[in-house]
Amino acid sequence: MIELQNVTQSYGGSALLTDVSVQFAPGSFHFLTGPSGAGKSTLLKLLYGELRPTRGHVQLFGIASTNMARDQLARTRRRIGVVHQDCRFLDHLSLAENIALPLQIAGQLTPADRQNLADLLVWVGLAHRSDALPAELSGGERQRAALARAVMIDPEVILADEPTGNVDWEMAQRLLQLLIELNKMGKTIVLATHDLNLIRAAKTQVEARVLRIRDRQVQLAGASL
Amino acid sequence: MIELQNVTQSYGGSALLTDVSVQFAPGSFHFLTGPSGAGKSTLLKLLYGELRPTRGHVQLFGIASTNMARDQLARTRRRIGVVHQDCRFLDHLSLAENIALPLQIAGQLTPADRQNLADLLVWVGLAHRSDALPAELSGGERQRAALARAVMIDPEVILADEPTGNVDWEMAQRLLQLLIELNKMGKTIVLATHDLNLIRAAKTQVEARVLRIRDRQVQLAGASL
Amino acid sequence: MTSLLDFLRGSQGDGRFVPPSKLTGRLTLAAAAAMSFLAVFALVLTMAAHRQAALWGQTLAGTATVRIASPHEPEQVQAALVILETTTGVNAARILSEDEHAALLAPWLGPDLPLQDLPLPSLIEVELSPDGIDTLGLNLRLQAEVPSATFDDHSRWRAPLIDAAKRMRNLGWAALGLTFATLAVMVALSTQSALASNKQEIDVLHLVGAEDRFIARAFVWRFTGRAVAGALLGTGLGIIATLLLPNDPAAGSFLTALPPNGLGWLVPFLVVPLVAAVAYLATRVTVMRLLKETTL
Amino acid sequence: MTSLLDFLRGSQGDGRFVPPSKLTGRLTLAAAAAMSFLAVFALVLTMAAHRQAALWGQTLAGTATVRIASPHEPEQVQAALVILETTTGVNAARILSEDEHAALLAPWLGPDLPLQDLPLPSLIEVELSPDGIDTLGLNLRLQAEVPSATFDDHSRWRAPLIDAAKRMRNLGWAALGLTFATLAVMVALSTQSALASNKQEIDVLHLVGAEDRFIARAFVWRFTGRAVAGALLGTGLGIIATLLLPNDPAAGSFLTALPPNGLGWLVPFLVVPLVAAVAYLATRVTVMRLLKETTL
Ligand SMILES: Nc1ncnc2c1ncn2[C@@H]1O[C@H](COP(=O)(O)OP(=O)(O)OP(=O)(O)O)[C@@H](O)[C@H]1O
Ligand SMILES: Nc1ncnc2c1ncn2[C@@H]1O[C@H](COP(=O)(O)OP(=O)(O)OP(=O)(O)O)[C@@H](O)[C@H]1O
Ligand SMILES: [Mg+2]
Ligand SMILES: [Mg+2]
């Protein structure tokens, strides 16, 4: 589905990741962890094509991102839901409109979509804020909105960068529950997080693999968690 | 030092906080917790005057924020170090310049300040990134930079809004250590967080009070933590 | 009407993904309006200069005089008339009556001079066609058949005014060219800069899967709409200003009315499509450049 | 020189807290340049129109004619001369020689007419002072002492050109006024919009304890500097364009040179302080408004 092949990534200076190969199989659930600044966000950006690898290849649904034209990349993004670490929205549209935005761009909103949107807002606890502008949301509310937007387009892959950093433990578990349900429906999930409790909680319910970035390599964390 | 007197705060709709009175004594260490969207950031904004209370008074060093002129407020801010939940920087200045910014605005940088800056950068693990632009930092690096900027002006009060949401547990403890040291030097600390482990870790080292926002009130959390 | 308003607001197509006018957005409208206003004004003045030049050219170039020095020889005058009538470029030729002759000379001779007693030359007033006349050929023919006749096309008097008219016209064109160039630059720049302040929105749209075409269309319509609204506003104001200009030169004076006449009123409206085209191109180029800049 | 460059870059004072020119920032410079260019051009043209009007007025208003209808009465001519010489507003009076007389009449009478045989009136050419003359009083005195004399100030010929000159001058002022108004609007708007795109920076500065004065100073210097740089550029280009204008009207023609002369060259540079003042005010007002908008 998505695959890194001998990827080296650097921002001008020394490399952040060297010769990394990882496969994200359909229906798998991956956690991505590692100290702050290790390159978790960088890895996720490679997975949805915001970055192109300095060396090596990133295969997105069988095509190398380096070979994709911009518009092809844009269309590929409709199959990948992304929660960015800094949640960016269109500041002049309401929360509900922002969450529906990817669908609107891809085509028309069906009544079923509207129902999904309403349900989703209830699940992430934002039903009462659906008319608020992004600037009027709290930090945690923005993160939940970003997750809702990523899920809304019914993507095959969901990449979430620290989606629970600003929410309380109860809400974090609720969001995790949502992702686990989606994974059970066959979606591939990659979740970057610092919260080891969250990873432990997930492991009781789903077969999740934990990837740790260390020494510019992506390692599979063993039973230590 | 800073005191809320019968403060009611609402954003147009229903009130977020009703008739809240809290005192933050000099040298105290407070945690602020509560579910996402409860009003933690709102309360902190009241404490440094970004918001003025809908009703009631917020006393900043003995003067009600409602009675302060803008410039007086600006000068008062030099006595309060703030870590915003969304860390905002001047995007065209380097990390080091951004951290030194409050000092530069208040006057000149002394050689001692430069030494402090270097030490601080080492402590928060950003020494190797000191020439980077804010846009080139990872999420956790931005948070650490924001904390460094807040600490840099040697303020009497430090207000930190979720300063560890995007950093790993080790780094979170390191940052907490910094705040505890500052508290021991007599500074007042108010720290909004969801991370109960962080609160527990602090309680072993310092006499911290935990305030919880619930039902539009600020309550003192008991031994439950 | 609603659809025009929609178009101007940019809500047609994908305009709702574009943030409504911020301070920087209003700039496009204002720049288009201000520059259209100036352009209309320059255009009206240039048109007036053209008509003025034509009027001066006509009034002065349209007539000439043939003077037959030997008085009291009507057959010579008739011979000259025949020659003139068969010359291409001559619309009409007419012997000046004695009264007209007297009126011409009055300033220098006084009104009371007994002209009939004088050995005055006969004068033929020649009306020339605007295509001009072969002065050399005519002179040669006159010299051959009516040696006492002299053709005078008034060029000595005409030259300075023709010069002035020509220069006025040229300056009009220069000013017009400069105004339109500035118009294009300002509209393009303000559109670019307004657009640049929407970089974040462009990024977000791209990140959630919008293709370049989609984004470009959304912004192009919105900004072209704003520029067109500004151009309409500016053109309207310019036309109002034109109407306030002095309209009635004293009858028979050398001056034309300043505002255009008849279909000439349509010309200033050409500013609107011009502004639209400039805004369209500037937006397209800038959006595409901003899109290319984002690696995302 | 370095400090001037510093000033233009805005690095003086607290300019380093202002982000360097983004796309929107360059707009201020470009708008100031483009509008200064147009303003210089309009200014030069208006100055030329003024000189042109003065020239036409002088040439035509400076002379008049007194015609004494009774020929061959030198004492009447002398009497008229005496009256003229004692009239305020008359600089000089001179009897036209026969040759000059002949030259005047040549177009209508031909060069070969024996003028001495004609009962022609005598002509006195009068040179008027620019202060004007009491035509009515002069006519009354002439009528009393030299009944056959007529004073003719050529107003019939002068009127249309005086009209044209006056209108040219008025239009020049109108165009100049409009250009300067647009200049002010565009510079103010572009400054505002560039500034608006720095809202985030203003907020950050305020949040870390900068007073309003400090923030305003930083931005005002930077933006005024940019506008001044633009104005200098535009003025320079405008002056180069002026130098390319036709400079040498045919000697003795009715036209003045277009570029200003002598100290007139300094006038276009007035555009620079004007732009600086507009940019300064616009920046100050906008920064203050943006600051007031933030509750923070
Ligand atoms: N400017 C605003 N206008 C309207 N509502 C607002 C505004 N700012 C915040 N709110 C609302 O007020 C509530 C409290 O916001 P606040 O940011 O204080 O929450 P918080 O406790 O900090 O939450 P989090 O843990 O998610 O950061 C939220 O529901 C938020 O949507
Ligand atoms: N555009 C950039 N230019 C240069 N360096 C960058 C850029 N983006 C990120 N970096 C650097 O690369 C390193 C990894 O960044 P990344 O955002 O991937 O970290 P992360 O693992 O997501 O950290 P966090 O947990 O703090 O979000 C950091 O040191 C960061 O400063
Ligand atoms: Mg990250
Ligand atoms: Mg908050």
Side-chain angles (χ1 to χ4, degrees):
Chain A
M1 179 144 277
I2 299 189
E3 192 177 348
L4 268 64
Q5 300 171 327
N6 306 103
V7 165
T8 295
Q9 181 63 38
S10 76
Y11 292 106
S14 62
L16 264 177
L17 302 171
T18 332
D19 205 24
V20 168
S21 300
V22 197
Q23 240 185 327
F24 297 91
S28 65
F29 198 121
H30 283 89
F31 281 99
L32 188 61
T33 185
S36 167
K40 298 180 295 301
S41 300
T42 303
L43 186 68
L44 288 182
K45 282 178 189 169
L46 286 168
L47 295 185
Y48 65 87
E50 178 169 335
L51 278 180
R52 296 178 186 197
T54 314
R55 237 170 304 139
H57 290 286
V58 179
Q59 302 281 349
L60 304 180
F61 305 103
I63 305 170
S65 67
T66 12
N67 295 335
M68 282 193 191
R70 287 173 51 79
D71 281 347
Q72 196 180 0
L73 200 56
R75 282 189 299 273
T76 306
R77 295 245 175 87
R78 297 182 192 162
R79 304 167 69 182
I80 308 178
V82 183
V83 182
H84 303 274
Q85 195 167 10
D86 56 329
C87 327
R88 279 170 285 178
F89 299 98
L90 289 188
D91 285 336
H92 65 290
L93 296 182
S94 73
L95 174 61
E97 286 176 303
N98 261 296
I99 294 177
L101 185 63
L103 274 179
Q104 292 223 301
I105 285 174
Q108 276 302 308
L109 273 188
T110 64
D113 288 332
R114 289 183 201 284
Q115 189 51 50
N116 283 343
L117 175 60
D119 293 346
L120 197 55
L121 282 176
V122 171
W123 187 264
V124 299
L126 287 177
H128 64 296
R129 301 294 295 150
S130 72
D131 292 329
L133 294 177
E136 297 168 354
L137 298 177
S138 81
E141 286 168 345
R142 287 172 71 86
Q143 279 191 329
R144 288 178 269 156
L147 181 62
R149 182 174 68 182
V151 166
M152 189 66 197
I153 41 166
D154 192 26
E156 297 165 46
V157 182
I158 295 171
L159 309 175
D161 197 353
E162 205 83 61
T164 59
N166 283 308
V167 297
D168 47 298
W169 177 237
E170 240 168 274
M171 181 53 73
Q173 278 181 302
R174 216 177 145 81
L175 298 181
L176 180 66
Q177 209 55 50
L178 177 64
L179 290 173
I180 288 174
E181 291 305 323
L182 288 167
N183 179 246
K184 286 185 177 156
M185 288 163 63
K187 315 227 175 279
T188 315
I189 313 275
V190 184
L191 207 161
T193 187
H194 290 294
D195 194 340
L196 303 187
N197 290 330
L198 196 71
I199 300 179
R200 284 186 204 109
K203 282 202 154 184
T204 63
Q205 298 184 55
V206 76
E207 199 193 323
R209 299 172 82 196
V210 179
L211 301 174
R212 180 190 295 280
I213 302 184
R214 175 179 290 171
D215 299 331
R216 297 180 284 161
Q217 290 295 326
V218 176
Q219 305 166 339
L220 195 62
S224 65
L225 278 168
Chain B
M1 180 144 276
I2 300 189
E3 192 179 347
L4 268 63
Q5 300 171 328
N6 306 103
V7 165
T8 295
Q9 180 63 39
S10 77
Y11 291 107
S14 63
L16 264 177
L17 303 169
T18 332
D19 206 23
V20 168
S21 299
V22 197
Q23 241 184 324
F24 296 91
S28 65
F29 197 122
H30 282 90
F31 281 99
L32 188 60
T33 184
S36 167
K40 298 180 294 300
S41 300
T42 303
L43 185 69
L44 288 182
K45 283 179 189 169
L46 286 168
L47 296 185
Y48 65 86
E50 177 170 335
L51 278 179
R52 295 177 187 199
T54 314
R55 237 169 306 138
H57 291 288
V58 178
Q59 302 282 349
L60 305 180
F61 305 102
I63 305 171
S65 68
T66 14
N67 295 336
M68 281 193 191
R70 287 173 51 78
D71 280 347
Q72 197 179 0
L73 200 55
R75 281 189 301 272
T76 305
R77 293 247 176 85
R78 297 182 193 164
R79 304 167 68 182
I80 309 178
V82 183
V83 182
H84 303 273
Q85 194 166 10
D86 56 329
C87 328
R88 279 171 287 179
F89 298 97
L90 288 189
D91 286 336
H92 66 289
L93 296 182
S94 73
L95 175 62
E97 287 176 304
N98 261 295
I99 294 177
L101 186 62
L103 274 179
Q104 292 224 299
I105 285 174
Q108 277 303 308
L109 273 187
T110 64
D113 289 330
R114 289 182 201 285
Q115 190 51 49
N116 283 343
L117 175 60
D119 293 346
L120 198 54
L121 281 176
V122 170
W123 187 263
V124 299
L126 287 177
H128 64 297
R129 302 293 295 150
S130 72
D131 291 330
L133 294 178
E136 297 168 353
L137 298 178
S138 82
E141 287 168 345
R142 288 173 71 87
Q143 279 191 329
R144 289 177 269 156
L147 181 62
R149 182 175 68 183
V151 166
M152 189 66 197
I153 41 167
D154 192 27
E156 297 164 46
V157 182
I158 295 170
L159 308 175
D161 197 352
E162 205 83 62
T164 60
N166 283 307
V167 297
D168 47 298
W169 176 238
E170 240 167 273
M171 181 53 74
Q173 278 181 302
R174 217 175 145 82
L175 298 182
L176 180 66
Q177 210 54 50
L178 177 64
L179 291 173
I180 289 174
E181 292 305 322
L182 289 167
N183 179 246
K184 285 184 178 156
M185 288 162 61
K187 315 229 176 275
T188 315
I189 313 274
V190 184
L191 206 162
T193 186
H194 290 295
D195 193 341
L196 303 187
N197 291 330
L198 196 73
I199 301 179
R200 285 187 203 109
K203 280 201 155 183
T204 62
Q205 298 183 56
V206 75
E207 199 194 326
R209 300 172 79 196
V210 179
L211 301 174
R212 179 191 294 282
I213 302 185
R214 176 180 288 172
D215 299 333
R216 296 180 284 162
Q217 290 294 326
V218 176
Q219 304 167 341
L220 196 61
S224 65
L225 278 170
Chain C
M1 194 58 206
T2 325
S3 75
L4 176 68
L5 281 177
D6 278 357
F7 166 74
L8 292 182
R9 278 196 221 101
S11 69
Q12 217 193 31
D14 320 295
R16 28 183 255 93
F17 303 124
V18 180
S21 254
K22 305 177 187 172
L23 193 51
T24 44
R26 264 177 275 151
L27 180 68
T28 305
L29 198 146
M35 296 314 299
S36 302
F37 178 81
L38 274 192
V40 165
F41 204 73
L43 201 55
V44 165
L45 288 190
T46 307
M47 285 164 73
H50 252 266
R51 270 175 293 124
Q52 180 72 74
L55 183 66
W56 281 356
Q58 249 169 39
T59 317
L60 290 153
T63 62
T65 320
V66 170
R67 193 175 56 239
I68 293 124
S70 44
H72 316 304
E73 289 189 34
E75 63 282 6
Q76 293 248 3
V77 176
Q78 284 308 325
L81 264 184
V82 169
I83 293 177
L84 285 170
E85 270 156 14
T86 57
T87 305
T88 45
V90 170
N91 273 357
R94 188 175 64 84
I95 304 170
L96 233 57
S97 77
E98 248 164 45
D99 283 357
E100 287 169 325
H101 213 151
L104 265 178
L105 292 172
W108 284 275
L109 302 183
D112 319 317
L113 208 67
L115 284 183
Q116 45 295 34
D117 301 349
L118 288 177
L120 286 183
S122 302
L123 290 181
I124 300 176
E125 193 183 76
V126 184
E127 203 177 298
L128 302 174
S129 83
D131 309 329
I133 185 172
D134 172 11
T135 313
L136 188 67
L138 180 62
N139 266 330
L140 286 175
R141 281 174 68 197
L142 280 176
Q143 216 148 351
E145 302 192 28
V146 196
S148 61
T150 328
F151 177 73
D152 179 354
D153 63 358
H154 300 177
S155 56
R156 200 160 65 87
W157 308 96
R158 224 168 69 198
L161 275 174
I162 294 285
D163 269 12
K166 209 196 297 179
R167 179 195 278 193
M168 225 160 79
R169 233 165 36 199
N170 289 345
L171 283 180
W173 282 112
L176 196 63
L178 291 178
T179 314
F180 272 89
T182 323
L183 163 85
V185 168
M186 288 310 303
V187 170
L189 273 174
S190 61
T191 308
Q192 273 198 339
S193 102
L195 207 52
S197 76
N198 287 138
K199 175 115 176 67
Q200 194 204 330
E201 282 81 7
I202 293 179
D203 284 355
V204 170
L205 283 171
H206 190 66
L207 278 176
V208 298
E211 297 171 24
D212 287 0
R213 233 173 327 147
F214 180 94
I215 301 174
R217 201 169 50 215
F219 281 89
V220 163
W221 280 120
R222 173 63 66 98
F223 280 85
T224 308
R226 271 183 208 158
V228 167
L232 283 172
L233 186 70
T235 307
L237 288 178
I239 284 176
I240 289 172
T242 305
L243 286 174
L244 296 178
L245 286 176
N247 197 356
D248 291 312
S253 93
F254 256 166
L255 301 175
T256 59
L258 279 175
N261 39 33
L263 285 178
W265 279 111
L266 294 180
V267 176
F269 285 98
L270 292 180
V271 170
V272 178
L274 180 88
V275 167
V278 169
Y280 177 84
L281 284 178
T283 318
R284 240 197 116 71
V285 169
T286 314
V287 176
M288 284 305 182
R289 213 183 64 196
L290 287 178
L291 283 172
K292 294 275 132 57
E293 259 174 28
T294 34
T295 25
L296 340 158
Chain D
M1 194 59 206
T2 327
S3 75
L4 175 67
L5 280 177
D6 277 357
F7 167 74
L8 292 182
R9 278 199 222 98
S11 69
Q12 215 193 35
D14 319 296
R16 32 183 252 91
F17 302 123
V18 179
S21 253
K22 305 179 189 172
L23 193 50
T24 44
R26 265 177 275 151
L27 180 68
T28 306
L29 198 144
M35 296 312 300
S36 301
F37 178 79
L38 274 192
V40 165
F41 204 73
L43 201 56
V44 165
L45 288 190
T46 308
M47 286 164 73
H50 252 265
R51 271 175 293 124
Q52 181 70 74
L55 182 66
W56 281 356
Q58 250 169 38
T59 318
L60 290 151
T63 61
T65 319
V66 170
R67 191 174 58 238
I68 294 123
S70 43
H72 316 304
E73 291 190 32
E75 64 284 3
Q76 293 248 5
V77 177
Q78 284 308 323
L81 263 183
V82 169
I83 292 175
L84 286 169
E85 272 157 10
T86 57
T87 304
T88 45
V90 171
N91 273 357
R94 185 176 67 83
I95 304 169
L96 232 56
S97 77
E98 248 161 47
D99 282 354
E100 287 168 323
H101 213 151
L104 264 178
L105 292 172
W108 285 276
L109 301 184
D112 318 319
L113 208 68
L115 284 182
Q116 38 304 26
D117 302 346
L118 287 177
L120 286 182
S122 306
L123 290 181
I124 302 175
E125 194 184 75
V126 185
E127 203 178 298
L128 302 173
S129 81
D131 309 330
I133 184 171
D134 173 11
T135 313
L136 188 67
L138 178 61
N139 266 331
L140 285 175
R141 281 173 69 198
L142 280 176
Q143 215 149 349
E145 302 192 27
V146 196
S148 60
T150 328
F151 177 73
D152 179 355
D153 63 357
H154 301 177
S155 56
R156 201 159 63 88
W157 308 97
R158 223 167 68 199
L161 275 174
I162 295 284
D163 269 11
K166 209 197 294 176
R167 181 195 277 192
M168 226 160 78
R169 232 165 37 199
N170 289 345
L171 283 180
W173 281 113
L176 195 64
L178 290 178
T179 314
F180 273 90
T182 321
L183 163 85
V185 168
M186 288 309 303
V187 170
L189 273 173
S190 60
T191 309
Q192 272 197 339
S193 102
L195 206 53
S197 75
N198 287 139
K199 174 115 177 64
Q200 194 203 330
E201 282 81 7
I202 294 178
D203 284 356
V204 169
L205 284 171
H206 189 68
L207 277 176
V208 299
E211 298 172 23
D212 287 359
R213 232 173 328 145
F214 179 93
I215 301 173
R217 201 171 48 216
F219 281 89
V220 163
W221 281 120
R222 173 64 66 99
F223 279 86
T224 308
R226 272 184 208 158
V228 167
L232 283 173
L233 186 70
T235 307
L237 288 179
I239 283 175
I240 289 173
T242 306
L243 286 174
L244 297 179
L245 286 177
N247 197 357
D248 290 312
S253 92
F254 256 167
L255 301 174
T256 57
L258 278 175
N261 39 34
L263 285 178
W265 278 111
L266 294 180
V267 176
F269 285 98
L270 292 179
V271 170
V272 178
L274 180 88
V275 167
V278 170
Y280 177 84
L281 284 177
T283 319
R284 240 197 117 70
V285 169
T286 313
V287 175
M288 284 305 182
R289 214 183 64 196
L290 286 177
L291 283 172
K292 294 274 132 60
E293 259 174 28
T294 35
T295 25
L296 343 156

